[in-house]
Amino acid sequence: MDEENRFIPVIARFDVEGGMVPLSIEWNGHVLGIDRVLDIRKAPSLKHGGFGIRFTVRIRSTCCYLFCDEGKWFIEREA
């Protein structure tokens, strides 16, 4: 996964209390399942600006940050 910051499609599960957990992303025409969500917190994107909910996720043995910023999703490599 490259470090370009672009919005991507995400499939997420929402619970009855309004919490959300991402299940998969679409990257370069491929659907990639999220193996595990390691952390969820409100945080800024230090590389690209913006502020939202940051999910630290593992996809195919790679850890990265998946951000939800006002309903739009983008991904960046973990620092």
Side-chain angles (χ1 to χ4, degrees):
M1 289 182 246
D2 64 304
E3 301 215 17
E4 182 181 335
N5 182 30
R6 60 181 173 172
F7 295 115
I8 59 172
V10 171
I11 295 175
R13 179 178 52 96
F14 294 84
D15 63 28
V16 295
E17 296 173 356
M20 66 179 157
V21 176
L23 302 175
S24 64
I25 66 169
E26 186 177 316
W27 188 264
N28 294 331
H30 300 282
V31 176
L32 304 174
I34 294 172
D35 300 323
R36 187 163 184 187
V37 176
L38 303 169
D39 186 50
I40 303 170
R41 68 179 66 201
K42 291 183 180 180
S45 169
L46 300 176
K47 294 181 182 179
H48 303 287
F51 188 88
I53 300 172
R54 183 183 77 192
F55 297 85
T56 306
V57 298
R58 186 171 53 221
I59 300 170
R60 293 186 175 180
S61 302
T62 300
C63 288
C64 52
Y65 295 135
L66 179 62
F67 285 88
C68 182
D69 184 8
E70 296 183 12
K72 296 184 204 172
W73 295 83
F74 65 93
I75 197 163
E76 70 179 32
R77 283 230 187 249
E78 189 175 24

